[in-house]
Amino acid sequence: MTAAQAGGAAAAADLLEIDGTASLGGKVQVNMDVGDGPAAGAQSAGPFLTATGGVTDEGLSVESTVAATYSLDWSTAGAVALDYQLDFASAGARAAARPGHAPVTRHLQTMYEAGSLSREEGNALANIADPDAYREAIASLSGEIYADTQNSALQSSLRFGDAMMSCAERSDAYRFIAEGQCSWMLVGGSRFSQEGSGSSMGFDETTFSLAGGLQADAGNDWHFGAAFSYENRNMSKDGMMSSDGDMFQLGGVAKREFGPALVAASLAVGYGRFDIERETFLGDTARGDQDLWTLSGQIRGEYLLERGNLFAKPRLDLGVDVIRTGKVRETGADGFNHEIDGATETYVNLQPAVEFGAEWQGTDGTLFRPTLMLGVTQFLGDGAPEVDSLFEDSPSGAPRITASSQFDKLYGDVALGLQVLSAKGLSVDAGAFGSFSENTERYGASLKVSIPF
């Protein structure tokens, strides 16, 4: 049965007229046409079946959808009428959607009541009966991938800060912690995965990275360095959203040795641009370009404990990262293009860790230093990646849609490495790392070559 609204009035249903009596059983399925004007609240479509000899209920029922609640009205003799209410943010609709996408459902209802939800969009949503299908339809309208890129940029800043922290020495009173002067180049790859949860979708991201820099001895146990990095990142989110872009970072580091102790401070700036696509439930593709800037500072204190060719280096890092995102204006998804404001968020992290290692010498004088690092990363404060947006057809005064990335505050970190120092000082470092939290895992490998000068 089709029920069609028009001009903001209640729907008019198809009418079946029976000359005689009618015994009614089975199930009525309604095809709702929301029309071009809203009809908010409880409505009656009037009779859809009449019988001159009367009607008898033999178990007739009507099937509601996620956003449309239907009931049968038998109050008029010889007739059956359809009562209904459309609510895209009803308790049932919110229960079908992920909790993190509840703002989208409320926003859709606001658009419907204001008359800015198009007929095609309203019909598609109003006639979804499967809660899982409704959940995915609402998810396709979320802008949370724009928050996920911020989460990824934060992890990138942490990796770059660590990359600037070493130009190894072959021989010194404290050779396992001593700093030298060198130029270096690093190439690596990593994978960052986040599980989906009840509140948000998961994602998988792969990253290729290339970094390089140099460090010079300034005398009096001071060393200064500069570095750059380039990353290409590709993210896929539940098969309905994707991000592809490049990130550049430039930084400097200052280090001071105090015998077996080392204090270092680094500062880096970064810029990235990401092409984002979002497939909506209507089959449209929304496209947006996101600009992202980072400012990262890190302070490290480290101490060397050694016995012969064995050593341990406990350390503590304190980091501050500021991430700024630019405005985004999507195109391609008529009515459901996001208009996202720029925003700034600050993150503070504490990273205690211990690096264990050993050293042995080959017959040609080459030194081999295997290492194992164990640590944790703890984010402090309330900072979390999120975006606020409106749709291009959102009515004036509509509440903004907040979308956030699943952001765990505590991570366990592990890294394995092998450093090979030739007799002439050339150093090659091969390493693998992993970082794990309740909902995410990040792992990768890198190769670093350092040339002393």
Side-chain angles (χ1 to χ4, degrees), residues 25 52 55 92 104 119 211 228-229 235 293-294 325 329 413 419 434:
T52 57
V55 295
V104 178
R119 186 173 190 172
F228 74 92
S229 77
M235 179 184 294
W293 297 265
T294 63
T325 54
R329 297 294 182 264
D413 304 318
Q419 187 175 63

Side-chain angles (χ1 to χ4, degrees), residues 107-448:
H107 198 87
L108 288 172
Q109 182 63 19
T110 300
M111 292 177 67
Y112 170 67
E113 293 176 0
S116 61
L117 188 67
S118 77
R119 186 173 190 172
E120 178 188 11
E121 297 159 354
N123 287 346
L125 289 166
N127 290 297
I128 297 176
D130 181 6
D132 290 342
Y134 194 81
R135 180 180 66 246
E136 296 309 303
I138 297 300
S140 75
L141 302 179
S142 169
E144 70 180 54
I145 191 169
Y146 292 97
D148 293 330
T149 57
Q150 299 174 44
N151 194 348
S152 175
L154 179 60
Q155 303 297 330
S156 174
S157 295
L158 295 178
R159 291 194 298 272
F160 184 55
D162 289 340
M164 291 191 288
M165 288 297 177
S166 181
C167 272
E169 286 284 85
R170 279 183 56 89
S171 60
D172 192 87
Y174 304 103
R175 66 186 185 280
F176 298 125
I177 200 170
E179 291 288 332
Q181 55 183 19
C182 71
S183 59
W184 57 270
M185 185 68 69
L186 179 147
V187 62
S190 64
R191 186 176 183 87
F192 183 24
S193 297
Q194 183 182 97
E195 294 181 358
S197 66
S199 61
S200 62
M201 299 178 287
F203 65 77
D204 290 291
E205 183 185 60
T206 56
T207 299
F208 166 78
S209 58
L210 180 66
L214 56 84
Q215 178 174 291
D217 187 346
N220 296 320
D221 296 320
W222 280 96
H223 291 81
F224 295 93
F228 74 92
S229 77
Y230 161 75
E231 289 186 340
N232 176 257
R233 304 209 302 255
N234 292 275
M235 179 184 294
S236 176
K237 192 171 180 69
D238 272 14
M240 68 175 65
M241 301 180 190
S242 65
S243 171
D244 181 14
D246 302 310
M247 186 87 187
F248 302 88
Q249 295 185 83
L250 181 66
V253 63
K255 305 174 186 179
R256 177 70 159 86
E257 297 174 43
F258 300 90
L262 175 72
V263 176
S266 66
L267 185 66
V269 295
Y271 169 75
R273 185 174 180 85
F274 301 93
D275 299 325
I276 293 175
E277 293 189 353
R278 183 173 55 85
E279 303 291 336
T280 75
F281 71 100
L282 290 172
D284 296 329
T285 300
R287 295 179 173 85
D289 295 323
Q290 184 184 38
D291 294 311
L292 190 150
W293 297 265
T294 63
L295 175 63
S296 304
Q298 184 185 60
I299 298 174
R300 170 174 293 185
E302 191 171 24
Y303 193 83
L304 172 65
L305 302 170
E306 61 178 322
R307 179 181 289 272
N309 292 333
L310 302 177
F311 64 90
K313 295 190 292 184
R315 71 180 188 231
L316 181 63
D317 294 351
L318 175 64
V320 178
D321 297 272
V322 180
I323 297 180
R324 171 69 183 174
T325 54
K327 293 181 179 180
V328 178
R329 297 294 182 264
E330 289 185 331
T331 60
D334 188 29
F336 287 138
N337 291 311
H338 277 289
E339 296 182 346
I340 302 173
D341 287 344
T344 302
E345 188 62 81
T346 300
Y347 304 88
V348 179
N349 69 82
L350 201 62
Q351 294 180 283
V354 180
E355 181 181 345
F356 302 94
E359 180 187 74
W360 74 85
Q361 183 171 321
T363 57
D364 61 351
T366 299
L367 296 179
F368 300 89
R369 293 178 185 170
T371 59
L372 168 66
M373 186 280 292
L374 299 174
V376 298
T377 299
Q378 175 69 64
F379 286 95
L380 310 174
D382 298 326
E386 65 177 31
V387 294
D388 290 325
S389 67
L390 295 170
F391 292 126
E392 62 181 356
D393 285 351
S394 297
S396 176
R400 302 190 69 81
I401 306 168
T402 299
S404 59
S405 178
Q406 180 76 32
F407 184 60
D408 295 331
K409 296 296 184 73
L410 180 63
Y411 297 79
D413 304 318
V414 60
L416 290 170
L418 177 62
Q419 187 175 63
V420 181
L421 293 92
S422 73
K424 295 183 179 181
L426 176 70
S427 173
V428 178
D429 296 80
F433 68 86
S435 182
F436 309 93
S437 67
E438 181 180 0
N439 296 290
T440 66
E441 60 180 26
R442 180 170 59 90
Y443 50 88
S446 64
L447 184 67
K448 181 179 181 180

Side-chain angles (χ1 to χ4, degrees), residues 82-99:
L82 177 71
D83 294 337
Y84 71 94
Q85 182 170 351
L86 287 176
D87 189 347
F88 300 101
S90 66
R94 294 196 306 274
R98 294 175 174 86

